[in-house]
């Protein structure tokens, strides 16, 4: 696997604020990464550091296995980390042409990139007539002009209406499907769930989880159980079961969270053999949302 970016023990302090705290993770080619965390958790600061617009306090990061200087590497990166500035009285095509001129790159790709972000039909409309979603899509087109290896987006759907949010997410998926690696920062769990294959969860600059989104979703889950009689004995038995991590009660329902994966059928027959006839048995997986809330709650 090709490593696009590697962060090692990255640290950033703004005076007393420890914005990024000993953060390490790797980005492999072809995946879609989300940095997920509540507002103020250090997402933008992290992106700023790797893009050389924020100075780190300590730690290391290296692009493309350290084969290139950061300056050279950043030529292969497309990034939008603040609201882009385009000229309101110029069209989409004119704005992108100007960017190519400033960067000294060819204008050949403009139409292709406008098509990627579904703005080709509106290419001759002035920027000031664009909706917020269209403006954001034009920013994505501009970040794609140099065919970057990786596209970096900070809160790409902030401030957009539901339709605009949907369009941006579809476009991000399309860009990823074409083989471009993506790193996006978001405070929205469902955004990461919908768009990303991998996630780094951070809170107060500290990494709480990193890995595949689907593995985060597929923890071992829990059972809900009820019995009409003999509840105390059932609780005892569950607490001593090796597959069960923890047993609590929620009103009349017993909640048994699992250490190991065990099916409802196995659990049901085990309990029946021990003389318990359940009036209720459901296996649930905690939602990613619940896990995110558990991971990010104060502790
Ligand atoms: P996020 O993008 O996750 O919302 P940020 O990286 O913007 O988080 O901020 C992380 C922390 O660093 C916050 O406490 C924020 O107030 C602080 N911070 C960010 N930028 C600056 C700055 N330029 N000067 C001082 N503090 C900052
Ligand atoms: Mg931010």
């Amino acid at each position: 696997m090709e490593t696009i970016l590697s962060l090692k023990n990255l640290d950033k302090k703004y005076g007393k604020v420890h914005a990024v705290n000993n953060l390490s993770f790797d980005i492999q080619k072809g995946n879609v990464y989300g940095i997920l965390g509540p507002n103020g958790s250090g997402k933008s600061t992290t992106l700023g550091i790797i893009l050389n617009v924020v100075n780190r306090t300590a730690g290391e990061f290296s692009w493309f296995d350290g084969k290139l200087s950061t300056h050279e590497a950043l030529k292969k990166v497309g990034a939008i980390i603040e609201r882009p500035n385009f000229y309101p009285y110029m069209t989409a095509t004119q704005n992108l042409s100007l960017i190519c001129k400033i960067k000294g790159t060819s204008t050949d790709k403009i139409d292709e990139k406008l098509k990627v972000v579904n703005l080709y039909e509106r290419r001759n409309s002035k920027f000031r007539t664009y909706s917020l979603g269209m403006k954001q899509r034009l920013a994505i087109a501009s970040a794609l002009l140099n065919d970057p290896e990786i596209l970096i987006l900070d809160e790409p759907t902030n401030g957009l209406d539901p339709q605009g949010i949907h369009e941006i997410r579809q476009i991000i998926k399309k860009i990823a499907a074409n083989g471009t690696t993506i790193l996006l920062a978001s405070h929205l769990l469902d955004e990461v769930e919908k768009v990303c294959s991998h996630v780094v969860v951070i809170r107060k600059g500290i990494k709480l989880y990193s890995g595949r989104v689907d593995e985060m979703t597929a923890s071992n889950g829990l059972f809900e159980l009820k019995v009409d009689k003999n509840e105390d004995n059932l609780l005892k038995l569950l607490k001593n079961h090796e597959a069960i991590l923890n047993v609590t009660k929620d009103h009349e329902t017993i909640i048994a969270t699992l250490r190991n994966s065990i099916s409802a059928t196995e659990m049901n027959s085990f309990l029946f053999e021990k003389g318990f006839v359940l009036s209720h048995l459901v296996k649930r997986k905690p939602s990613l949302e619940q896990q995110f809330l558990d991971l990010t709650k104060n502790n």
Side-chain angles (χ1 to χ4, degrees):
M1 236 185 306
E2 195 179 324
T3 303
I4 301 259
L5 173 68
S6 182
L7 280 66
K8 285 200 180 68
N9 311 113
L10 213 59
D11 234 79
K12 175 65 184 179
K13 287 177 184 153
Y14 293 107
K16 283 185 182 154
V17 177
H18 208 159
V20 178
N21 190 341
N22 199 29
L23 186 62
S24 303
F25 62 87
D26 286 344
I27 295 221
Q28 311 290 350
K29 188 179 170 73
N31 294 332
V32 181
Y33 291 83
I35 302 182
L36 176 64
N39 287 327
S41 55
K43 304 180 297 293
S44 298
T45 302
T46 303
L47 297 184
I49 292 169
I50 61 175
L51 294 169
N52 255 7
V53 296
V54 172
N55 290 322
R56 64 189 190 256
T57 307
E60 306 287 329
F61 65 94
S62 71
W63 285 101
F64 305 107
D65 288 323
K67 287 179 199 133
L68 302 174
S69 69
T70 301
H71 180 74
E72 281 306 307
L74 290 178
K75 291 181 182 168
K76 304 209 281 175
V77 174
I80 312 169
I81 52 169
E82 40 193 51
R83 284 253 167 264
N85 281 319
F86 292 105
Y87 288 98
Y89 53 87
M90 282 169 33
T91 67
T93 301
Q94 289 168 339
N95 269 297
L96 294 187
S97 302
L98 183 62
I99 289 169
C100 290
K101 211 169 185 177
I102 292 167
K103 291 190 173 168
T105 56
S106 138
T107 54
D108 296 355
K109 297 263 164 69
I110 290 177
D111 286 354
E112 175 196 324
K113 302 307 177 190
L114 285 171
K115 283 176 190 163
V116 171
V117 300
N118 303 333
L119 281 178
Y120 185 69
E121 305 301 322
R122 291 292 305 274
R123 67 192 181 283
N124 294 321
S125 302
K126 290 191 170 34
F127 180 73
R128 65 174 150 76
T129 68
Y130 276 17
S131 69
L132 203 56
M134 293 166 76
K135 288 175 177 172
Q136 181 67 343
R137 275 146 55 198
L138 185 62
I140 293 176
S142 78
L144 293 174
L145 283 170
N146 58 338
D147 281 329
E149 291 262 346
I150 177 169
L151 178 64
I152 297 179
L153 305 164
D154 194 359
E155 307 270 7
T157 60
N158 254 12
L160 304 186
D161 60 18
Q163 174 64 24
I165 290 173
H166 180 74
E167 281 170 349
I168 294 280
R169 290 179 184 166
Q170 291 304 113
I171 288 165
I172 293 172
K173 286 195 220 176
K174 184 161 78 176
I175 294 165
N178 285 332
T180 306
T181 308
I182 292 178
L183 172 60
L184 66 85
S186 179
H187 67 284
L188 301 171
L189 178 75
D190 79 312
E191 180 148 286
V192 169
E193 215 169 6
K194 287 194 173 107
V195 176
C196 302
S197 59
H198 291 70
V199 63
V200 179
V201 180
I202 60 173
R203 184 179 138 258
K204 294 184 180 167
I206 298 171
K207 182 172 83 177
L208 301 177
Y209 173 88
S210 70
R212 293 189 56 87
V213 171
D214 52 15
E215 279 171 19
M216 180 165 164
T217 331
S219 89
N220 293 314
L222 56 84
F223 282 120
E224 288 176 14
L225 313 95
K226 281 187 204 172
V227 273
D228 294 335
K229 54 181 191 200
N230 238 343
E231 193 189 67
D232 287 346
N233 287 335
L234 176 60
L235 286 170
K236 243 181 246 163
L237 183 65
L238 291 171
K239 280 178 184 159
N240 290 322
H241 193 290
E242 59 171 19
I244 292 173
L245 189 64
N246 188 33
V247 181
T248 55
K249 273 199 72 184
D250 182 11
H251 300 284
E252 295 308 300
T253 308
I254 299 169
I255 309 288
T257 52
L258 298 180
R259 177 185 288 126
N260 305 319
S261 182
I262 169 169
S263 72
T265 310
E266 283 172 286
M267 179 52 71
N268 200 13
S269 56
F270 167 76
L271 293 176
F272 187 76
E273 276 168 26
K274 298 283 180 188
F276 293 94
V277 179
L278 300 173
S279 58
H280 174 92
L281 175 67
V282 177
K283 186 172 179 184
R284 294 194 193 284
K285 276 183 182 169
S287 65
L288 183 53
E289 177 157 32
Q290 189 55 50
Q291 292 178 60
F292 175 67
L293 293 174
D294 288 347
L295 282 173
T296 56
K297 78 181 171 206
N298 289 325
N299 50 24

